Amino acid sequence: MKCDVCDNEATVHNLVIKGGKPAEQHLCERCATKTGLNNSIPVAPLMMDLVKQIAAGQAITPSAPTEKPPAVRGAGTPAVAQCPGCGLPFASFRQHGLLGCAICYTAFADQLGPLLDRAHDGATHHTGKMPRRILPGGADAGTLAPDAPGGAPSPPKPTIDLQDILHREAQLRKQLQSAIAAEQFERAACLRDELIKLGQLAELAGFIIGGKKAPPAPEAT
Amino acid sequence: MESVPLISQESVARGAAWLAGTGRDSDVVISSRIRLARNLAGRPFPARSTLLQRAQVVALCRDHLMSGVLDAPGRRMVWADIHAMSPLGRSLLVERHLMSKEHAKGKTITLPVGAPAGGTPTGPEQTIQEPRGLAVTLPDESLSIMVNEEDHLRIQVLLSGLALSEAWKQIDDADDQVEGLGNRRVSGGSDVATADTPPSAAPPAPAADRGLIYAFSPRFGYLTTCPTNVGCGVRMSVMLHLPGLRLTGEIDKVKNATKDMNLALRGFYGEGSESTGDLYQVSNQGAFGKPEREILREIETEIVPEIVRYERDARTTMLERRRRILEDQVFRALGLLRNARMLTPEEALAGLSMVRLGILCGLVPIPEQVVSQLFLLTQPAHLQRLLGVDMDQQRRRAARADLVRERLGA
């Protein structure tokens, strides 16, 4: 299949909802990156769920917790749902109960969230000890930010406050739920994208590194 | 036998510090253990790693753990490549509760040798063990770290008696050191000294000693291979000796009560093992959305003291109302242990359990330590290391009976 914009082979397939109707987009890697679509995390599953539910005339509910994420490569051609980090197929996780890497948690977040809720008395977020290192904003996630030279207090660096992330994520999820309930699909898609960006920033590879030390968790000794 | 054993012959003969009978409520609580599951950021978890990736994790962890960050006055970290160790050496570490059975077993990978690309192998097959390791503090063995078990790191602190708070202090500190914070907490200092200490108070860690970066997500917590461990990645467990409750027939009540409280009750050697010797482990199941301190408080100040009280009541009941039955059980066990010429590990544990109860009820004048350490010394690998020879099952049974008779002064 050719890219909608240029003549290259389309490798990124996206489903957009305009005016309540689904429309497909097929782009090559380069054009997708230009339009900000080239996201290693499937954006479409939730929307596909919605479309399927609309098609089936069902009430709108968030994606089913244990269901395999539907295909993102265009309608009717299901792709294997697998972790973009380590290639673990979701089916393998369902069979063995073991994840392959930190990215699995982001890739399968929708399925894992409700699973954990059930297994841990409805808890939705981690509380307790946190690593003392956190990710400096904009830094290369693969490298460590150097400690302050000579032990002098370091100048303030752009850092991500873990509490802020938790707060922001909870906010976004709440808004997403109400958007879905109100059938505001375009808004839901935007919120979904924001959640993904937030997740990528802080969760994707589990990189928690850098200058500022996280505040001690109040409960942890 | 290892050419240079990790655990010295003297240490093996002495038993283990966690069986020393020190610490709170040690008449009922044998030991307290906390373990943390941690993974390194940006690397696939062990089960999804290639041999090369596993070897890299082993090298990375060994270099950091052995850099001195976990050493203290009178205590140093030693390392063992578990994949290069003999089966007996590994079993010894399992028996001493320094690592899991799964870590000892590992996976063996068969490599075809001398095979031309796509052709049939011409040479003999070669097998290699998955790279994995263990770091242990000596001589106390209280801190141990498995590398490449189910998670990249499994950090454990194991202490005698009811000592979860102390174990938490130690493991929290060790966890920070593994992360390479550099500003070591002074023993007995403030709980949160590490985070509160101004940067100028501690010299920066040398570049090579930066520490390991954990896989962590603000939402899910410490990321673990099995999602049941995600969150704090913590398991706190307490090993209890409950012979009184078995004799009064109330042990099932404890089993049901712990189940209701979402705690696991397991045998002497963890998941799936039988509660031989009336030894049980109570531990939390999962730690997501619940801070460590809360789990600790529940187990240490609510659940365990309650079970301890039940067990003591049961012992008192037996002494006051069913003394003849109690004495019969205790002295039969003592008679068996002092006279048998062959003993299975189960027979030994069951007998030792009754004799320990007799000692604690004031019926048998033997030091409690002698019996408690025999719980460990009668295990197969310990027995073989003590005598310095590999033995088959029959010989071990005879050697076990000889050792028990000798230690019980028969």
Side-chain angles (χ1 to χ4, degrees):
Chain A
M1 187 180 286
K2 293 263 190 257
C3 171
D4 291 348
V5 182
C6 65
D7 275 350
N8 290 336
E9 187 67 17
T11 54
V12 178
H13 308 276
N14 189 44
L15 196 68
V16 286
I17 298 201
K18 283 183 182 163
K21 287 183 181 170
E24 285 180 38
Q25 254 185 351
H26 307 282
L27 300 168
C28 70
E29 195 114 352
R30 219 177 54 184
C31 295
T33 308
K34 271 188 204 163
T35 53
L37 258 179
N38 194 10
N39 204 325
S40 59
I41 306 294
V43 181
L46 179 85
M47 306 318 291
M48 283 296 287
D49 273 4
L50 289 174
V51 173
K52 276 186 180 170
Q53 287 174 23
I54 293 165
Q58 294 167 354
I60 305 299
T61 57
S63 71
T66 52
E67 210 175 87
K68 212 162 89 170
V72 291
R73 293 169 192 269
T77 52
V80 181
Q82 61 178 35
C83 169
C86 66
L88 180 85
F90 185 68
S92 166
F93 165 65
R94 287 184 72 176
Q95 196 182 345
H96 304 290
L98 300 176
L99 293 165
C101 70
I103 298 171
C104 288
Y105 277 91
T106 312
F108 304 140
D110 284 351
Q111 289 82 10
L112 279 169
L115 202 81
L116 290 172
D117 293 354
R118 279 200 300 274
H120 301 275
D121 291 336
T124 55
H125 279 87
H126 166 65
T127 53
K129 191 174 178 178
M130 293 186 187
R132 309 290 194 223
R133 300 172 188 276
I134 54 168
L135 179 75
D140 176 8
T143 57
L144 256 174
D147 288 337
S154 50
K157 290 175 191 164
T159 54
I160 293 170
D161 187 300
L162 296 176
Q163 295 301 333
D164 283 352
I165 291 179
L166 292 177
H167 182 67
R168 179 81 186 124
E169 200 198 4
Q171 250 183 352
L172 283 172
R173 286 198 180 274
K174 217 170 169 181
Q175 289 170 2
L176 179 65
Q177 292 240 325
S178 34
I180 292 168
E183 300 188 15
Q184 297 168 338
F185 303 127
E186 274 179 285
R187 186 172 138 75
C190 289
L191 289 165
R192 176 81 180 169
D193 285 352
E194 270 197 63
L195 264 170
I196 288 162
K197 275 183 206 153
L198 188 75
Q200 277 181 328
L201 192 64
E203 290 188 18
L204 188 60
F207 280 113
I208 303 295
I209 53 175
K212 186 185 156 191
K213 281 170 184 160
E219 302 85 352
T221 56
Chain B
M1 303 277 155
E2 310 313 316
S3 48
V4 182
L6 186 70
I7 310 295
S8 70
Q9 192 68 15
E10 296 75 51
S11 300
V12 172
R14 248 197 331 264
W18 54 269
L19 277 164
T22 53
R24 236 172 74 199
D25 300 333
S26 61
D27 54 331
V28 179
V29 183
I30 303 282
S31 62
S32 300
R33 169 181 176 264
I34 301 184
R35 76 106 170 98
L36 298 175
R38 300 284 189 256
N39 281 292
L40 305 186
R43 290 170 192 274
F45 299 156
R48 199 87 190 141
S49 296
T50 62
L51 272 181
L52 184 63
Q53 287 166 329
R54 279 172 172 274
Q56 284 169 340
V57 167
V58 166
L60 194 70
C61 293
R62 184 187 52 218
D63 287 354
H64 180 61
L65 300 178
M66 297 305 292
S67 66
V69 287
L70 292 160
D71 292 355
R75 169 180 124 161
R76 74 191 169 90
M77 206 80 189
V78 293
W79 174 269
D81 283 325
I82 298 301
H83 52 273
M85 209 177 227
S86 71
L88 183 65
R90 287 182 225 157
S91 300
L92 189 91
L93 299 173
V94 175
E95 289 174 5
R96 295 180 83 77
H97 289 201
L98 294 175
M99 68 181 196
S100 65
K101 275 184 186 166
E102 293 72 24
H103 202 52
K105 199 174 166 208
K107 260 191 212 149
T108 306
I109 296 147
T110 308
L111 300 172
V113 177
T120 333
T122 52
E125 277 186 344
Q126 215 180 37
T127 58
I128 48 166
Q129 281 257 321
E130 289 177 329
R132 59 198 192 280
L134 177 76
V136 187
T137 54
L138 292 184
D140 61 338
E141 298 173 32
S142 62
L143 172 67
S144 62
I145 302 176
M146 288 189 276
V147 175
N148 271 347
E149 208 241 25
E150 185 178 283
D151 297 297
H152 289 141
L153 294 162
R154 286 283 178 105
I155 309 170
Q156 167 187 283
V157 166
L158 178 59
L159 301 174
S160 178
L162 182 55
L164 280 180
S165 296
E166 176 56 28
W168 173 250
K169 259 188 212 160
Q170 292 189 19
I171 206 164
D172 186 28
D173 184 30
D175 188 38
D176 289 348
Q177 298 307 323
V178 173
E179 255 197 278
L181 290 181
N183 45 348
R184 210 186 161 79
R185 186 184 305 163
V186 180
S187 175
S190 157
D191 280 348
V192 288
T194 318
D196 289 342
T197 312
S200 56
D209 188 19
R210 267 286 161 53
L212 305 171
I213 303 162
Y214 289 149
F216 179 85
S217 132
R219 179 179 175 201
F220 291 115
Y222 290 94
L223 304 177
T224 52
T225 302
C226 183
T228 53
N229 293 320
V230 82
C232 299
V234 73
R235 174 162 284 164
M236 303 197 181
S237 54
V238 168
M239 199 200 290
L240 303 159
H241 185 220
L242 306 175
L245 286 168
R246 181 174 56 79
L247 288 181
T248 56
E250 292 168 305
I251 194 74
D252 285 340
K253 277 189 202 165
V254 175
K255 284 185 188 170
N256 293 336
T258 49
K259 213 172 170 185
D260 291 345
M261 287 181 281
N262 201 23
L263 296 163
L265 195 67
R266 304 186 174 91
F268 192 36
Y269 281 100
E271 225 154 333
S273 74
E274 290 298 313
S275 48
T276 329
D278 305 306
L279 293 167
Y280 294 88
Q281 284 185 59
V282 178
S283 58
N284 66 300
Q285 309 223 62
F288 182 62
K290 202 175 198 180
E292 296 89 347
R293 177 151 255 192
E294 183 62 17
I295 300 168
L296 194 148
R297 191 188 59 76
E298 273 183 17
I299 298 184
E300 190 168 55
T301 65
E302 289 176 12
I303 292 150
V304 171
E306 188 92 333
I307 302 176
V308 168
R309 196 165 54 79
Y310 282 144
E311 170 63 20
R312 284 181 184 151
D313 286 351
R315 291 177 189 181
T316 309
T317 306
M318 291 304 296
L319 256 178
E320 289 175 356
R321 298 192 202 152
R322 299 162 73 185
R323 192 180 178 100
R324 178 65 68 149
I325 296 173
L326 175 68
E327 285 182 350
D328 182 59
Q329 294 278 328
V330 169
F331 288 106
R332 268 171 192 270
L334 191 59
L336 175 82
L337 296 182
R338 278 184 166 162
N339 291 288
R341 285 337 191 227
M342 289 180 90
L343 281 173
T344 65
E346 295 76 25
E347 276 175 329
L349 274 181
L352 290 167
S353 168
M354 280 297 104
V355 174
R356 185 176 191 267
L357 175 66
I359 294 168
L360 294 169
C361 290
L363 302 173
V364 182
I366 297 175
E368 185 262 325
Q369 261 302 285
V370 171
V371 172
S372 292
Q373 295 296 353
L374 278 174
F375 278 115
L376 182 65
L377 299 178
T378 51
Q379 298 293 314
H382 273 79
L383 213 51
Q384 293 176 80
R385 265 294 297 277
L386 266 182
L387 299 173
V389 280
D390 289 348
M391 289 180 280
D392 62 17
Q393 201 182 49
Q394 290 299 313
R395 285 186 179 187
R396 284 204 301 270
R397 287 179 179 176
R400 186 175 292 117
D402 292 347
L403 176 75
V404 170
R405 285 204 315 280
E406 181 205 314
R407 298 260 171 144
L408 294 184

